[in-house]
Amino acid sequence: MLMNQLKSISAILGVVLLASCGVSKKKYAELQGNFNQVQQQYNDINGKLIKTESELSNAKTRITSLDDAIARERANAKDLQEALNKCLSASSQGNVNISKLVDEINTSNKYIKELIAAKNKSDSLNMVLTNNLTRSLSREEMSDVDVQVLKGVVYISLSDNMLYKSGSYEISDKASATLGKIAKIITDYKDYEVLVEGNTDNVPIKMANIRNNWDLSALRASSVVQSLQNNYGVDPKRLTAGGRGEYNPIAGNDTPAGKTKNRRTQIIITPKLDQFMDLIGKSAEKPTN
C-alpha cells in the first residue's frame, strides 16, 4: 500500500513538470497547489515509513531477546529434568528414610501422650487425696491446717499453735484429733512416703536442752513422727523426720503474722501413680463423719 502511494506521488509530479512548460498562470498555480499537497502527503508517508522501519527493527530485537530467553528456559528445564531423574533414581532410599522418620515421629507422639496421661493421673491423684483429707477436717481445724499440691507432692502444713504446747516440742492435747485424721489418710494409702518437716521463725530459742532452731525444728518433727507411730500405728519405715530450722520461710520474719506462718510443721506425702485407680474408687464412696 505504501509503494502504491509513492507511485501516485511520482505520477503527479510528472504531470506537474509537463504542465509547467506551457500552461496559464492560473493553471500553474493550481498545479503548484496540487504539487504542494502531494509533497506534504509524501513527507507524511515518508515519516510513517521511517517510523515503521524503526518499529520493525525493535520488533526484531525483541524477537532475538525472546529467542535467547526461550533457549535459557529450555536449558533450565533440561537441568530440572536431570535433577528429577536423579531424585527418582534414589527414591527407594528416600522412601526408607521417610519411613524411618515417620516411625520416629509416631514414637515421639506416643511418648508425649504417655507423659500427658501420667500428668493427668498425677493431678487427679493429688486432688483426690487432698479432698479425702480436707473433707474430714472441721472448720476450726481447717484454720490451722493448710493443704496444697505443689509439683506433684501433697503438703499438709500444721500451725505450731495447734500442734505443740507453748515454747515446747511436745504435742498438745488439741492436736490429737487432727493428727488422728491425718494418720488415717496416711494409713489408707500405705505405699506412700511421708516426710515430717519442722520449720521455725528466726527468733533464737532459749532453752537449756535445745541449742538452736535446728534442734527445735527437728525435735518437733520427731514428736509428730513418734505420735503417728505410737498413737496411730503408722509404719515407721514410711516416716522420715527432718528439721529445717529458720531457713525455709514462707513469709517475712519482720512481722508477728509472718513469724506465725513460718512456725509450722509440714507433713509431705508423695503419692505413687500405681495407686491412682484405688484412690478414684475410694473417692466415690460416701464420706463418713
Side-chain angles (χ1 to χ4, degrees), residues 29-286:
E30 182 181 350
L31 290 173
Q32 183 66 42
N34 290 337
F35 173 77
N36 293 338
Q37 184 178 359
V38 171
Q39 182 67 41
Q40 182 62 43
Q41 290 177 353
Y42 172 79
N43 293 337
D44 292 343
I45 292 171
N46 190 55
K48 291 180 180 179
L49 176 61
I50 294 172
K51 181 179 180 181
T52 300
E53 289 177 345
S54 176
E55 291 176 349
L56 178 60
S57 177
N58 292 337
K60 289 180 179 179
T61 301
R62 287 197 297 272
I63 290 172
T64 301
S65 177
L66 290 174
D67 286 340
D68 292 341
I70 290 171
R72 289 194 300 270
E73 290 303 320
R74 284 176 177 171
N76 186 46
K78 182 180 179 181
D79 292 340
L80 291 175
Q81 184 64 47
E82 291 176 355
L84 177 59
N85 291 338
K86 290 181 180 179
C87 289
L88 292 175
S89 65
S91 61
S92 58
Q93 182 62 37
N95 288 336
V96 171
N97 292 338
I98 291 173
S99 178
K100 182 178 179 181
L101 179 60
V102 170
D103 290 341
E104 290 176 354
I105 292 173
N106 289 336
T107 301
S108 177
N109 287 339
K110 181 180 178 181
Y111 181 61
I112 291 172
K113 290 179 180 179
E114 289 175 353
L115 289 178
I116 293 173
K119 180 182 182 301
N120 291 337
K121 285 183 178 181
S122 178
D123 291 344
S124 299
L125 182 67
N126 290 327
M127 181 182 66
V128 170
L129 181 60
T130 302
N131 288 341
N132 281 344
L133 175 61
T134 56
R135 73 187 180 190
S136 67
L137 298 176
S138 66
R139 182 174 300 178
E140 291 76 18
E141 289 171 324
M142 286 299 297
S143 63
D144 291 315
V145 179
D146 179 46
V147 180
Q148 297 184 36
V149 178
L150 302 174
K151 297 181 180 180
V153 178
V154 178
Y155 292 83
I156 305 171
S157 185
L158 308 172
S159 70
D160 282 4
N161 292 335
M162 184 271 289
L163 272 180
Y164 310 108
K165 297 177 180 179
S166 179
S168 172
Y169 53 84
E170 294 182 10
I171 302 296
S172 66
D173 294 336
K174 66 178 182 179
S176 297
T178 302
L179 281 179
K181 294 175 182 178
I182 294 174
K184 184 178 186 304
I185 294 294
I186 295 174
T187 302
D188 286 344
Y189 307 112
K190 60 182 185 305
D191 293 329
Y192 298 164
E193 300 295 329
V194 181
L195 168 64
V196 180
E197 183 181 89
N199 296 268
T200 69
D201 58 25
N202 65 346
V203 178
I205 185 68
K206 296 180 180 179
M207 293 182 67
N209 59 338
I210 300 177
R211 294 172 296 180
N212 50 42
N213 285 334
W214 279 113
D215 282 358
L216 178 61
S217 62
L219 286 169
R220 285 183 167 179
S222 179
S223 293
V224 173
V225 163
Q226 293 181 61
S227 178
L228 292 173
Q229 175 188 355
N230 298 330
N231 299 330
Y232 305 105
V234 177
D235 184 357
K237 294 179 181 179
R238 301 171 52 203
L239 300 172
T240 301
R244 302 195 65 176
E246 62 196 70
Y247 302 105
N248 185 35
I250 58 174
N253 281 306
D254 52 348
T255 64
K259 291 178 180 179
T260 298
K261 289 183 179 180
N262 291 331
R263 294 192 302 270
R264 69 199 188 282
T265 297
Q266 286 186 312
I267 298 177
I268 304 171
I269 303 174
T270 307
K272 297 180 181 179
L273 291 179
D274 57 2
Q275 301 298 317
F276 174 71
M277 297 309 297
D278 289 340
L279 274 176
I280 294 297
K282 290 181 181 180
S283 69
E285 298 176 0
K286 183 177 179 181

Side-chain angles (χ1 to χ4, degrees), residues 23-34:
V23 295
S24 63
K25 291 183 178 181
K26 180 178 179 181
K27 187 64 175 177
Y28 177 80
E30 182 181 350
L31 290 173
Q32 183 66 42
N34 290 337

